[in-house]
Amino acid sequence: MEKTQLVEIGQRLRKRRTELGLTREKMAELADIGTGYYGQLEVGTSQMSIDTLVKLSRSMHLSMDYIVFGAEDAPSDASAVLDLLQRCNTRELKLAEEVLKLFLMKIPSSD
């Protein structure tokens, strides 16, 4: 894989991690990979195995196509969110609940 491709993958990972409001350490923990290794992936200095790609795809709730190629498959309704939640284990559901609560606290109420 070319260096530019690795950098682009890293940019997509960083973008998603930032969207989720997570530190590199927390993201690495969620994906069950080393923090240093995750950092190398974000800056494009390391390649990942299929196993790591699957872990990142699941923990970031991104398609593997998007991570590797940048192919967007953006869902447009709540059924996509429910689909993602159904694929979560108990630990991931708890974390998803925490993230959603934090996200909703950031949105100004319209009351």
Side-chain angles (χ1 to χ4, degrees):
M1 186 170 284
E2 292 183 24
K3 174 70 175 165
T4 57
Q5 292 171 306
L6 294 175
V7 170
E8 289 169 358
I9 289 169
Q11 289 170 344
R12 287 188 285 277
L13 294 175
R14 183 180 307 111
K15 178 181 180 229
R16 179 61 172 165
R17 176 181 58 78
T18 303
E19 288 171 356
L20 295 171
L22 299 172
T23 63
R24 281 185 178 178
E25 292 79 14
K26 190 65 172 176
M27 189 68 252
E29 179 185 333
L30 291 172
D32 194 28
I33 61 177
T35 303
Y37 176 54
Y38 178 76
Q40 291 173 349
L41 293 173
E42 271 199 8
V43 296
T45 58
S46 199
Q47 293 190 35
M48 70 180 92
S49 66
I50 296 295
D51 183 53
T52 299
L53 177 60
V54 170
K55 288 178 178 183
L56 289 170
S57 174
R58 287 183 176 160
S59 62
M60 295 180 130
H61 300 288
L62 292 173
S63 71
M64 288 184 270
D65 267 357
Y66 175 75
I67 293 171
V68 176
F69 302 110
E72 301 260 359
D73 61 338
S76 61
D77 61 23
S79 65
V81 174
L82 294 174
D83 179 55
L84 290 173
L85 291 173
Q86 289 173 343
R87 292 189 271 164
C88 292
N89 61 35
T90 304
R91 180 176 138 251
E92 292 168 334
L93 282 171
K94 181 68 177 158
L95 291 168
E97 180 183 5
E98 291 174 23
V99 169
L100 184 57
K101 285 177 183 176
L102 289 171
F103 175 79
L104 293 174
M105 286 191 305
K106 289 183 177 182
I107 299 175
S109 74
S110 58
D111 297 338

